[in-house]
Amino acid sequence: MRKFSISSTFLFGLYLLFTALISALDAREKITAAEYQQRRDKVVSLMDNQSVALLSSGTTKARAGDLNFPFYPDPNFYYLTGCKDAGAFLLLAPQGIKIEGAAATQVLFLASGYNAYTGDLRGEVPVLDSSGAMVIADKKHFDEIRHQVLSRADALYVPAWPQGFLHDPISDKRFFIEREAKKAIKEKYSQLPIKSISAPLAQMRQLKSEQEIALLKQAASITSRALCEVMRSAETGMYEYDLQAILEYAFKRLGAEDVGFNSIVGSGPNAIILHYDKNRRCIEAGELVLMDVGAQYEGYGADITRTFPVSGRFSPAQRELYEIVLRANREAIQIMKPGVPFKEVEAKAAAVVADGLQKLGIIPEAKAVKNYLPHGVSHHIGLETHDAGEYKLLQAGMVITMEPGIYIPVESTDVDVKYRGIGIRIEDDILITPNGHEVITDEVPRTIAEIEKLMKEKGLGQIRIR
Ligand code: GLY
Ligand code: MN
Ligand code: MN
């Protein structure tokens, strides 16, 4: 028998193959440096030659002393840089910015040094492509460079300022952030028109790249599988937070870094509160539970709602309303394809709900549907749960929700008592494809038969803590 000896060349070859495979997998799971570069190049190509764009990642907010609330970078800034540092700035200038003897059209300013509280090595941008056009500069140069570019620019592009105002209770004065900022800029650079960069960024962000779609599918899969685990585990007498704990445990176990928004776990009449997230109530026998939840994966978040009976079986009245919502969800998704206006999809869902409620005698005419379906039923998802977009025509590459519902408040004395106190929403995430659409949240069941079957399976159950 011939003795087989593994040569070091062979082993090295295997090692190379293995590392190439690992990095290929890794690359699929992240937005690449090249993609961030393409996004910045596109913005620069849309700007007038003598203009400047300035984006900020935002600032941290203290919760107690040196402890901060979680920091989420401004989504437009993050979309262009992949940088999660607080207090960072991005300057874009088609005519070039002189910095440390070189000229660049894109400069990212970061604080340098080690942060002893967070352990972060500030100034590290893992996604930076050294071949890209962006230069990283120390933030200590920012004031000087900003002044240099703003004094000679003929327009300044900025994303929208944070909405709202700060109220000083002593002077009883309101400081509207946008008004105050614009006033201060005018005082310093009177010649400088201020233009919004939000619209072009929304046009870009509403069309997802292949990598963004892969990340959204991953977030949708994690969310779906976690919801299945919750449905297998739900029992009468659990608290809403028990279900939240099982869900978010599964999110983490499946690799999600965060929730994209506070998990909504509304049982019984709490399901009628659209964004209820207190999650403190004990779930009683026979009640429905509405869970509107989304895992976030590499910055991208899903948004799924399922409504299920805690006992594992829908009552006849719950069934009647559920079937209407399900039909609205299915029929509105069915018409999704490129070229269809957002408002047509919205109208379709509302019309199906209106028809169903009229047939049950809950509303006298279609326009009364808004009493029991008081919200829009479709939005983009992405870096933000309600993601940036124009909301005009559907286009291939968009990823949007469809989330019709029926909410009958307990005090609706004009509605048959059997329907009162019921809240139902069914929300799916849909990729618009060149020829139609693809539902990316099919891993979690939505029909009554499928849900009742799933709920018979054994789940994690009540995790006992001694
Ligand atoms: N989860 C919030 C929404 O569905 O819009
Ligand atoms: Mn939702
Ligand atoms: Mn939604």
Side-chain angles (χ1 to χ4, degrees), residues 191-207:
Q191 90 297 352
L192 197 59
I194 300 171
K195 298 184 177 181
S196 171
I197 203 170
S198 300
L201 277 169
Q203 277 173 6
M204 290 166 65
R205 284 176 53 191
Q206 71 184 352
L207 297 178

Side-chain angles (χ1 to χ4, degrees), residues 261 264 274-275 290-294 302-305 379 381 385-386 401 403 425 427 429:
F261 56 93
I264 295 167
L274 299 178
H275 286 173
L290 182 157
M291 291 186 63
D292 182 347
V293 298
D303 185 10
I304 308 182
T305 309
H379 59 83
I381 58 169
T385 305
H386 293 175
T401 67
E403 49 184 302
R425 178 160 67 253
E427 176 173 25
D429 301 339

Side-chain angles (χ1 to χ4, degrees), residues 209-231:
S209 69
E210 231 170 84
Q211 275 173 314
E212 288 180 297
I213 291 167
L215 296 177
L216 280 167
K217 284 186 172 175
Q218 181 67 4
S221 175
I222 292 172
T223 310
S224 302
R225 291 159 63 200
L227 268 170
C228 287
E229 209 44 61
V230 170
M231 286 196 233

Side-chain angles (χ1 to χ4, degrees), residues 336-394:
M336 287 181 177
K337 62 175 186 192
V340 173
F342 253 94
K343 55 179 190 287
E344 196 174 313
V345 178
E346 291 266 350
K348 180 73 183 174
V352 175
V353 173
D355 176 62
L357 291 180
Q358 273 184 287
K359 285 190 176 127
L360 291 183
I362 293 177
I363 55 172
E365 51 179 352
K367 71 172 195 247
V369 67
K370 63 180 185 312
N371 297 340
Y372 304 109
L373 172 50
H375 60 75
V377 296
S378 187
H379 59 83
H380 292 278
I381 58 169
L383 288 173
E384 295 177 90
T385 305
H386 293 175
D387 209 33
E390 297 173 297
Y391 291 90
K392 290 179 182 160
L393 300 182
L394 299 187

Side-chain angles (χ1 to χ4, degrees), residues 178-196:
E178 176 163 357
R179 199 169 66 197
E180 294 296 321
K182 283 186 170 164
K183 205 166 80 187
I185 295 169
K186 192 123 205 94
E187 276 163 18
K188 214 162 170 189
Y189 305 102
S190 54
Q191 90 297 352
L192 197 59
I194 300 171
K195 298 184 177 181
S196 171

Side-chain angles (χ1 to χ4, degrees), residues 112-122:
S112 57
Y114 179 68
N115 181 335
Y117 287 99
T118 62
D120 292 338
L121 193 59
R122 289 177 297 196

